[in-house]
Every structure is written in C-alpha cells, then in structure tokens.
C-alpha cells in the first residue's frame, strides 16, 4: 500500500494517519454511469455499505440495509462526487450515518472539483444511525441541488445534519427538506454546523467553506435533546436558511450562532428547559407566527446576543409570561409588528 500510494500519502495526512489500513466498503461503483441497485438487502459490511463514487445517473430503489447499531463506520449509503442520483422506498438501520452526501476532502476534493449534485431522497425509513441524512463533512468539491422528502427517522442521533469545517472549502447550496417526521432523536433534530471539529479562526480563503440556501418545511420532531442548532464561523456566516411549518417537542429549543438571513415561520415549539429561541452574533433574523407551548414563566421566549435587524411578527402567545424577549446592549434594529401577547408582563428587557 505504501509503495503504490506514496504520492498520495505524502500530501494526505488523513490517509497517512490511518497507518495504511483502510477497511473496504461492501459495494463501490467508481467512474460508472446508469447504475441501478434495486430490491436487495445488505448487512454486516466491514465499512460503508454502498459507496458510489464519481458516478452518474444512479437509482437506488427498494433496498434494505441493516447493520448492528454498535458497528463503527457502517454507514448505509455514502455518495461521493456523484450526479443525478435517486434514492427511494428504502429502509436503513445502521451503526453510523444512514445516508451521507460527500464530494471530497480538503485540498484533494478541491483539486478534483467533482461535485455531488442533482440528488433526490424520498419515501425512506431510517433508524438507529448517527444521522438520518447527512451532508459532509467531506464536501470540498461542492454539494448542490438536493431534495429530501417524505422520510421518517426514528432513534437516530440527529435527523438532518449538514457539517463542515475550516480547511474544507467548497459549498453546500440549494438544499430542500420537506415532509419529514422525526421521533426520539438522541441529540438534535436538525443541525447545520461549520464547526465539525474545533479550529482557530483564519482569514477567508479557498479553505473556508460556504453553506447557504437551505430550506426546511413540513417537519415534525417528537422528542429530541435540542430542536435545531446552527453554527457558522466568526469569519464566514451560514446564510439564507429558512424553517417553516414545524411542530417540535424537545428538551431544549432553537440556537443560532454566526448566521445571517435566517427565517422561522409557523413554528410550534415545546421545550422543557432553557430559552426556546436563542441567537448569538447573528443578523437579519425573522421570527414570524411563533407559538411556544407551556413556556417557562421566568425565562424569555427569545434571547439575543449581539444581533442586528431582527423582526418579530404575527406571533400569538396566550400563556402567562414575565418577559417576551431579552437582548444585550449590542443588539439593534429590533422590530415588533402585529403580535398578540395578552398575558406577557414585559415585551422586552435589556441585559
């Protein structure tokens, strides 16, 4: 292995650190086109189960993947730098992520410049895995035009996860998620993060990833540790993200950090601890038609830290509350329009 891959090992520390031991996937298509995987079952792979790479026009239909929930890295389907992909009517229960969308890692991925794009995932059930549908963290060649719909996730760590980090570069763009039911999420229902691994801030460059234009609607989350998390970078915000028509029950609510142009509309949220909606170092936030069931009386519904241009509109909050919103002295341009809060003592306070 070392002799045949000397050039790769010299520049790729990730593979070098694996000490030349790479477990193989069960099925790989490499530089293929017109691929059909249909009506078959898979279990107990040594690594990822199905791994299409650099392939075009792929249909995965009516399959079953069942791997032990304690088996490491036994992802269900891992797509890397593939185009025109349709995954449907399948059941996946695995020891890692159920479906993963990738496009190369760091410099190698940027150099190859082979995106994953034009992808649909629909009518699937996913259990036990770390994530239901995951984009990243290897997305250096870009991931674009993804539609995820009509799926059920039960018992996964996270339902929808988009993850990247400094060093990756690349872009995740034009993602639509709709008509999803999540039950018993161990961590978040939804997480979008550019901090997959801790790194120090650095100037914006080709190493800096971009996540934008992600829209999620028609989603039920029943039981999660946290409803939604968004984490951008200090030097590069996550932008143009929208959430609409959502029913959520979680221990903790919705947190956004280092983000811009974020919209929440028609959100019914029930939490058992903490502030339902919290934003830090963010701007251009819209909260429209929010309702929090059984709010915690002493805590604000919305808490803002260093946020700018925030709109709160058409919210209906009938329960008794001490304060609706709390913000620090760095916040500005806050707008309240057409809200009904008959039992709220104070609209907002500064802290």
């Amino acid at each position: 292995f070392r002799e045949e891959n000397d050039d790769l090992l010299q520049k790729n520390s990730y593979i070098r650190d694996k000490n030349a031991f790479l477990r193989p996937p069960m099925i790989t298509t490499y530089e293929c086109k017109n691929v059909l995987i249909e009506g078959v079952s898979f279990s107990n792979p040594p690594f990822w189960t199905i791994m299409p790479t650099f392939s075009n026009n792929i249909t995965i239909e009516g399959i079953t993947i069942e791997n032990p929930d304690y088996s490491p890295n036994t992802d269900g389907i891992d797509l890397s730098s593939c185009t025109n992909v349709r995954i449907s009517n399948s059941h996946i229960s695995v020891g890692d992520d159920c479906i993963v969308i990738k496009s190369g890692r760091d410099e190698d991925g940027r150099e190859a410049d082979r995106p994953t794009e034009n992808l649909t995932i629909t009518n699937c059930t996913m259990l036990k895995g770390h994530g239901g549908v995951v984009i990243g963290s290897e997305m250096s060649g870009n991931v674009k035009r993804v539609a995820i719909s009509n799926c059920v996730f039960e018992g996964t760590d996270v339902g929808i996860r988009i993850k990247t980090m400094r060093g990756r570069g690349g872009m995740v763009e034009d993602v639509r998620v709709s008509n999803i039911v999540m039950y018993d999420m161990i961590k978040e229902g939804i997480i979008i993060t550019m901090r997959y691994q801790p790194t120090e801030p650095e100037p914006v460059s080709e190493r800096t990833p971009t996540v934008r234009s992600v829209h999620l609607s028609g989603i039920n989350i029943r039981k999660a540790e946290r409803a939604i998390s968004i984490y951008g970078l200090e030097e590069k915000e996550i932008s143009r993200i929208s959430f609409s028509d959502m029913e959520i029950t979680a221990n903790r609510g919705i947190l956004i950090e280092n983000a811009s142009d974020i919209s929440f509309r028609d959100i019914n949220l029930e939490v058992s601890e903490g502030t339902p909606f919290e934003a830090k170092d963010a701007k251009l936030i819209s909260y429209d038609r929010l309702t929090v069931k059984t709010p915690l009386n002493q805590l604000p519904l919305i808490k803002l830290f260093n946020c700018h241009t925030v709109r709160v509109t058409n919210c209906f909050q009938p329960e008794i509350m001490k304060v609706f919103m709390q913000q620090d002295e760095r916040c500005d341009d806050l707008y309240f329009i057409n809200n009904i809060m008959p039992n709220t003592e104070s609209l907002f306070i500064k802290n």
Side-chain angles (χ1 to χ4, degrees):
F1 179 87
R2 295 179 189 278
E3 291 177 0
E4 294 182 4
N5 295 277
D6 183 64
D7 291 344
L8 177 63
L9 291 170
Q10 289 295 326
K11 64 179 183 178
N12 193 314
S13 61
Y14 175 75
I15 296 178
R16 188 167 63 246
D17 292 344
K18 294 296 182 182
N19 198 28
F21 177 72
L22 302 174
R23 288 174 289 151
M26 180 173 279
I27 293 178
T28 299
T29 67
Y30 188 87
E31 294 284 8
C32 296
K33 63 181 181 179
N34 304 329
V35 176
L36 173 63
I37 302 174
E38 181 180 26
V40 290
S41 298
F42 305 91
S43 64
N44 298 322
F47 191 53
W48 301 340
T49 309
I50 301 174
M51 181 186 167
T53 304
F54 298 149
S55 297
N56 177 47
N57 192 20
I58 301 168
T59 301
I60 299 176
E61 161 81 18
I63 70 166
T64 297
I65 300 175
E66 293 188 326
N67 301 329
D69 58 9
Y70 54 82
S71 54
N73 308 119
T74 55
D75 298 11
I77 301 169
D78 280 57
L79 299 158
S80 186
S81 298
C82 294
T83 58
N84 305 314
V85 181
R86 298 159 303 281
I87 300 172
S88 61
N89 303 312
S90 296
H91 174 74
I92 303 173
S93 180
V94 294
D96 207 304
D97 295 324
C98 294
I99 296 176
V100 191
I101 304 165
K102 303 174 181 285
S103 65
R105 181 188 180 103
D106 298 345
E107 183 181 358
D108 291 341
R110 296 193 298 271
E111 182 178 335
D113 193 24
R114 299 281 294 271
T116 291
E117 57 190 9
N118 303 344
L119 166 65
T120 65
I121 299 169
T122 190
N123 299 341
C124 294
T125 52
M126 306 183 204
L127 312 180
K128 303 295 185 184
H130 292 181
V133 177
V134 178
I135 299 176
S137 70
E138 297 89 341
M139 40 63 69
S140 303
N142 301 328
V143 174
K144 299 182 178 181
R145 297 185 293 280
V146 177
I148 303 162
S149 64
N150 303 336
C151 292
V152 176
F153 308 141
E154 180 178 355
T156 57
D157 286 3
V158 177
I160 298 292
R161 175 189 285 156
I162 298 174
K163 58 183 181 179
T164 183
M165 57 179 286
R166 295 180 180 97
R168 293 285 190 264
M171 176 185 298
V172 175
E173 182 180 45
D174 293 334
V175 178
R176 290 271 177 175
V177 181
S178 61
N179 296 337
I180 303 294
V181 176
M182 306 182 192
Y183 178 73
D184 201 15
M185 299 293 100
I186 296 172
K187 297 179 181 178
E188 293 94 347
I190 299 163
I191 180 169
I192 304 173
T193 180
M194 299 170 79
R195 309 177 197 169
Y196 178 53
Q197 293 180 3
T199 53
E200 293 297 320
E202 61 183 56
V204 174
S205 69
E206 66 175 6
R207 292 169 42 85
T208 308
T210 297
V211 178
R212 67 188 185 197
S213 191
V214 179
H215 305 284
L216 305 98
S217 63
I219 296 176
N220 281 18
I221 302 173
R222 293 281 180 262
K223 295 177 64 178
E225 176 56 32
R226 181 178 285 282
I228 299 168
S229 297
I230 299 177
Y231 302 109
L233 300 175
E234 295 176 30
E235 66 271 22
K236 186 66 175 288
E237 300 165 330
I238 290 173
S239 64
R240 303 202 327 251
I241 312 295
S242 71
F243 302 88
S244 63
D245 183 19
M246 300 182 70
E247 290 271 352
I248 304 172
T249 303
N251 289 339
R252 295 182 291 165
I254 296 172
L255 171 64
I256 65 176
E257 297 183 4
N258 298 109
S260 174
D261 196 1
I262 311 297
S263 170
F264 299 94
R265 188 172 192 273
D266 286 314
I267 309 294
N268 287 285
L269 175 63
E270 183 174 359
V271 297
S272 55
E273 61 181 84
T275 300
F277 294 89
E278 189 170 350
K280 302 177 181 179
D281 302 314
K283 63 185 180 184
L284 298 174
I285 308 171
S286 175
Y287 296 111
D288 184 59
R289 298 174 61 174
L290 308 182
T291 299
V292 175
K293 302 175 184 176
T294 59
L296 303 176
N297 187 41
Q298 300 301 314
L299 294 176
L301 204 74
I302 299 173
K303 188 180 289 187
L304 305 176
F305 301 91
N306 191 29
C307 293
H308 312 281
T309 313
V310 179
R311 301 186 306 274
V312 181
T313 58
N314 305 308
C315 295
F316 176 60
Q317 195 59 51
E319 287 87 351
I320 296 173
M321 290 190 62
K322 186 172 182 179
V323 61
F324 182 77
M325 190 173 78
Q326 176 181 327
Q327 76 272 15
D328 70 4
E329 68 282 354
R330 297 170 294 171
C331 296
D332 57 25
D333 294 334
L334 309 180
Y335 301 92
F336 296 83
I337 304 170
N338 197 36
N339 299 292
I340 302 173
M341 307 170 195
N343 297 305
T344 299
E345 293 182 20
S346 299
L347 184 60
F348 64 89
I349 59 171
K350 289 187 176 181
N351 181 21

